[in-house]
mmCIF file of all heavy atoms in Angstrom:
data_model
loop_
_atom_site.group_PDB
_atom_site.id
_atom_site.type_symbol
_atom_site.label_atom_id
_atom_site.label_comp_id
_atom_site.label_asym_id
_atom_site.label_seq_id
_atom_site.Cartn_x
_atom_site.Cartn_y
_atom_site.Cartn_z
ATOM 1 N N ALA M 59 10.832 28.094 -8.864
ATOM 2 C CA ALA M 59 11.669 26.960 -8.474
ATOM 3 C C ALA M 59 12.391 26.400 -9.701
ATOM 4 O O ALA M 59 11.954 26.572 -10.839
ATOM 5 C CB ALA M 59 10.822 25.868 -7.825
ATOM 6 N N SER M 60 13.488 25.711 -9.465
ATOM 7 C CA SER M 60 14.257 25.127 -10.571
ATOM 8 C C SER M 60 13.777 23.730 -10.932
ATOM 9 O O SER M 60 14.009 23.255 -12.045
ATOM 10 C CB SER M 60 15.747 25.075 -10.211
ATOM 11 O OG SER M 60 15.947 24.264 -9.065
ATOM 12 N N LYS M 61 13.095 23.068 -9.982
ATOM 13 C CA LYS M 61 12.640 21.704 -10.245
ATOM 14 C C LYS M 61 11.550 21.326 -9.256
ATOM 15 O O LYS M 61 11.424 21.930 -8.184
ATOM 16 C CB LYS M 61 13.799 20.711 -10.134
ATOM 17 C CG LYS M 61 14.407 20.653 -8.730
ATOM 18 C CD LYS M 61 15.597 19.702 -8.671
ATOM 19 C CE LYS M 61 16.170 19.677 -7.242
ATOM 20 N NZ LYS M 61 17.361 18.789 -7.146
ATOM 21 N N ALA M 62 10.754 20.336 -9.642
ATOM 22 C CA ALA M 62 9.761 19.754 -8.747
ATOM 23 C C ALA M 62 10.209 18.345 -8.397
ATOM 24 O O ALA M 62 10.747 17.628 -9.241
ATOM 25 C CB ALA M 62 8.383 19.715 -9.409
ATOM 26 N N GLU M 63 9.992 17.955 -7.149
ATOM 27 C CA GLU M 63 10.401 16.625 -6.697
ATOM 28 C C GLU M 63 9.199 15.892 -6.127
ATOM 29 O O GLU M 63 8.440 16.433 -5.321
ATOM 30 C CB GLU M 63 11.500 16.728 -5.635
ATOM 31 C CG GLU M 63 12.014 15.372 -5.180
ATOM 32 C CD GLU M 63 13.158 15.488 -4.179
ATOM 33 O OE1 GLU M 63 13.412 16.617 -3.717
ATOM 34 O OE2 GLU M 63 13.777 14.445 -3.877
ATOM 35 N N LEU M 64 9.026 14.622 -6.557
ATOM 36 C CA LEU M 64 7.897 13.796 -6.125
ATOM 37 C C LEU M 64 8.431 12.467 -5.619
ATOM 38 O O LEU M 64 9.285 11.845 -6.261
ATOM 39 C CB LEU M 64 6.925 13.547 -7.285
ATOM 40 C CG LEU M 64 6.491 14.772 -8.103
ATOM 41 C CD1 LEU M 64 5.711 14.337 -9.329
ATOM 42 C CD2 LEU M 64 5.672 15.714 -7.246
ATOM 43 N N ILE M 65 7.918 12.019 -4.473
ATOM 44 C CA ILE M 65 8.348 10.741 -3.900
ATOM 45 C C ILE M 65 7.116 9.992 -3.408
ATOM 46 O O ILE M 65 6.249 10.570 -2.733
ATOM 47 C CB ILE M 65 9.338 10.936 -2.738
ATOM 48 C CG1 ILE M 65 10.618 11.626 -3.220
ATOM 49 C CG2 ILE M 65 9.673 9.604 -2.080
ATOM 50 C CD1 ILE M 65 11.585 11.963 -2.095
ATOM 51 N N ALA M 66 7.028 8.712 -3.738
ATOM 52 C CA ALA M 66 5.971 7.850 -3.200
ATOM 53 C C ALA M 66 6.625 6.616 -2.605
ATOM 54 O O ALA M 66 7.468 5.981 -3.238
ATOM 55 C CB ALA M 66 4.987 7.443 -4.289
ATOM 56 N N GLU M 67 6.241 6.295 -1.382
ATOM 57 C CA GLU M 67 6.789 5.129 -0.695
ATOM 58 C C GLU M 67 5.678 4.103 -0.501
ATOM 59 O O GLU M 67 4.578 4.437 -0.043
ATOM 60 C CB GLU M 67 7.380 5.538 0.651
ATOM 61 C CG GLU M 67 8.107 4.418 1.365
ATOM 62 C CD GLU M 67 8.798 4.907 2.629
ATOM 63 O OE1 GLU M 67 9.012 6.126 2.761
ATOM 64 O OE2 GLU M 67 9.118 4.062 3.479
ATOM 65 N N PHE M 68 5.952 2.857 -0.897
ATOM 66 C CA PHE M 68 4.957 1.788 -0.812
ATOM 67 C C PHE M 68 5.453 0.685 0.104
ATOM 68 O O PHE M 68 6.642 0.351 0.119
ATOM 69 C CB PHE M 68 4.674 1.183 -2.194
ATOM 70 C CG PHE M 68 3.966 2.109 -3.143
ATOM 71 C CD1 PHE M 68 4.692 3.001 -3.919
ATOM 72 C CD2 PHE M 68 2.589 2.088 -3.259
ATOM 73 C CE1 PHE M 68 4.055 3.847 -4.814
ATOM 74 C CE2 PHE M 68 1.944 2.936 -4.148
ATOM 75 C CZ PHE M 68 2.671 3.820 -4.922
ATOM 76 N N GLU M 69 4.529 0.120 0.872
ATOM 77 C CA GLU M 69 4.809 -1.116 1.604
ATOM 78 C C GLU M 69 4.399 -2.280 0.706
ATOM 79 O O GLU M 69 3.332 -2.245 0.079
ATOM 80 C CB GLU M 69 4.024 -1.142 2.920
ATOM 81 C CG GLU M 69 4.455 -0.066 3.894
ATOM 82 C CD GLU M 69 3.631 -0.093 5.185
ATOM 83 O OE1 GLU M 69 2.768 -1.001 5.308
ATOM 84 O OE2 GLU M 69 3.827 0.776 6.040
ATOM 85 N N LEU M 70 5.228 -3.314 0.646
ATOM 86 C CA LEU M 70 5.015 -4.402 -0.294
ATOM 87 C C LEU M 70 4.262 -5.593 0.289
ATOM 88 O O LEU M 70 4.090 -6.602 -0.398
ATOM 89 C CB LEU M 70 6.356 -4.868 -0.863
ATOM 90 C CG LEU M 70 7.101 -3.822 -1.706
ATOM 91 C CD1 LEU M 70 8.425 -4.377 -2.191
ATOM 92 C CD2 LEU M 70 6.253 -3.368 -2.883
ATOM 93 N N ASP M 71 3.797 -5.495 1.534
ATOM 94 C CA ASP M 71 2.961 -6.562 2.080
ATOM 95 C C ASP M 71 1.690 -6.659 1.252
ATOM 96 O O ASP M 71 0.958 -5.674 1.089
ATOM 97 C CB ASP M 71 2.601 -6.270 3.542
ATOM 98 C CG ASP M 71 3.827 -6.328 4.444
ATOM 99 O OD1 ASP M 71 4.818 -6.950 4.028
ATOM 100 O OD2 ASP M 71 3.781 -5.756 5.546
ATOM 101 N N GLY M 72 1.417 -7.851 0.723
ATOM 102 C CA GLY M 72 0.229 -8.019 -0.107
ATOM 103 C C GLY M 72 0.428 -7.589 -1.543
ATOM 104 O O GLY M 72 -0.532 -7.550 -2.317
ATOM 105 N N ALA M 73 1.655 -7.239 -1.909
ATOM 106 C CA ALA M 73 1.947 -6.837 -3.291
ATOM 107 C C ALA M 73 3.026 -7.758 -3.847
ATOM 108 O O ALA M 73 4.122 -7.326 -4.210
ATOM 109 C CB ALA M 73 2.383 -5.372 -3.347
ATOM 110 N N ALA M 74 2.706 -9.050 -3.917
ATOM 111 C CA ALA M 74 3.694 -10.047 -4.343
ATOM 112 C C ALA M 74 4.171 -9.805 -5.769
ATOM 113 O O ALA M 74 5.344 -10.003 -6.076
ATOM 114 C CB ALA M 74 3.096 -11.451 -4.217
#
Side-chain angles (χ1 to χ4, degrees):
S60 61
K61 63 183 180 182
E63 183 177 10
L64 311 171
I65 298 175
E67 186 174 341
F68 292 86
E69 295 179 3
L70 296 179
D71 293 340

